[in-house]
Amino acid sequence: MDAGDPAAGPDWAVWAPEWDPAGRSAEDDALAEEELAAIGRTAGRVAGGGIRAAVLGVNDGLVTNLCLILGVAGASVDAGTVRLSGVASLVAGALSMAAGEWVSVRSQWEVAHGMEDALHRAWHRSPPVVMTQLARRMRERGLDAATAAKATRGVVQHRRTARETSLRILYGVSASDAGSPVVAAVSSLLLFAVGALVPLLPWFFTEGGTAVAWSAGVTAAASLVVGASLGYGSGRGAVWTAVRQLLIVAMASAVTYGVGEVAGTAVM
């Protein structure tokens, strides 16, 4: 076995005490490689801001527009008013989500770059101080003093990545971790619009109590799909996350419909 083989030393026992080196197989190695590759792809999407923005977008679209539609419908107004309100909410919400995500992610990126610049100035003022901090942080994460010193020298030797790597080691952030403002904005805009369209669609084909029932039904189904997808993607189980998503939408919708009925009665 080569020096990098996990079976060559006792370190693997900390993570996998039941693993038997004698039972190692090419199939298990291949499956482990696939798992790591999948984690890498997921990490890339998370770092890019796409997953967060997509989840927020579709969920907010479903909840926001269903609540608005039920609130307006609860006030006993005509179907045309409900449709107009729903379309206005879809457009305004999608644009608002996109703008908010862009500003948020862009701000994170700018702050991280500012931290990189400050770290660069610290390097030029006193390299030994920065290197001491790097080695100390690595020791805090479990490396012995000799290994931490060697790793610090390795970080410094890579001029292209030294600033970013140093910032990540010292403070746990980097400009690349902030993600893409454009990806976050576009994901939010499109998926909010898709989510908001779901409860609105029945009102183009029917009205009154039937439309209310269809809005609630199709939104509930969409919420179950979104929740199950999140659970499946995170490996936490699709059933619980689907039910949790449905409960959130149901509670928000019930409250809004009740407020609409009360407000409609008071105003009318």
Side-chain angles (χ1 to χ4, degrees):
M1 295 182 181
D2 58 38
D5 194 319
D11 293 347
W12 56 264
V14 176
W15 280 69
E18 298 179 358
W19 182 69
D20 181 7
R24 181 177 180 179
S25 68
E27 181 182 0
D28 285 339
D29 286 354
L31 289 173
E33 292 284 356
E34 289 178 10
E35 290 280 6
L36 293 174
I39 293 170
R41 291 191 294 270
T42 301
R45 293 195 299 271
V46 171
I51 287 182
R52 172 181 172 274
V55 171
L56 285 175
V58 70
N59 188 63
D60 282 3
L62 286 169
V63 175
T64 300
N65 230 25
L66 178 64
C67 288
L68 181 139
I69 288 168
L70 294 184
V72 174
S76 300
V77 298
D78 62 276
T81 302
V82 175
R83 285 193 294 271
L84 178 61
S85 300
V87 171
S89 173
L90 185 156
V91 174
L95 293 175
S96 176
M97 284 287 293
E101 283 294 330
W102 191 92
V103 171
S104 173
V105 176
R106 180 69 185 183
S107 297
Q108 287 181 289
W109 185 87
E110 290 173 346
V111 169
H113 265 282
M115 294 173 68
E116 279 192 9
D117 292 339
L119 182 58
H120 184 66
R121 293 193 297 271
W123 272 113
H124 282 274
R125 291 194 195 314
S126 179
V129 168
V130 180
M131 292 183 70
T132 298
Q133 291 286 348
L134 283 170
R136 180 181 302 164
R137 185 55 58 91
M138 291 184 189
R139 290 199 302 272
E140 290 174 354
R141 295 183 179 182
L143 297 182
D144 58 70
T147 304
K150 183 177 180 180
T152 299
R153 290 194 297 272
V155 169
V156 175
Q157 287 171 1
H158 289 80
R159 294 180 59 85
R160 289 196 333 174
T161 60
R163 288 171 58 180
E164 182 178 351
T165 304
S166 299
L167 189 67
R168 184 179 283 112
I169 292 171
L170 289 170
Y171 305 107
V173 298
S174 76
S176 62
D177 292 337
S180 166
V182 174
V183 170
V186 172
S187 298
S188 291
L189 186 149
L190 294 179
L191 287 168
F192 183 97
V194 170
L197 185 61
V198 170
L200 181 60
L201 275 176
W203 291 88
F204 289 97
F205 304 100
T206 185
E207 59 184 42
T210 303
V212 169
W214 271 104
S215 285
V218 295
T219 304
S223 298
L224 288 172
V225 171
V226 171
S229 299
L230 290 174
Y232 179 78
S234 65
R236 296 178 180 272
V239 176
W240 163 238
T241 52
V243 172
R244 180 184 64 185
Q245 192 77 9
L246 178 61
L247 289 175
I248 291 172
V249 173
M251 287 188 292
S253 304
V255 170
T256 309
Y257 187 77
V259 170
E261 278 199 324
V262 172
T265 300
V267 172
M268 302 297 183

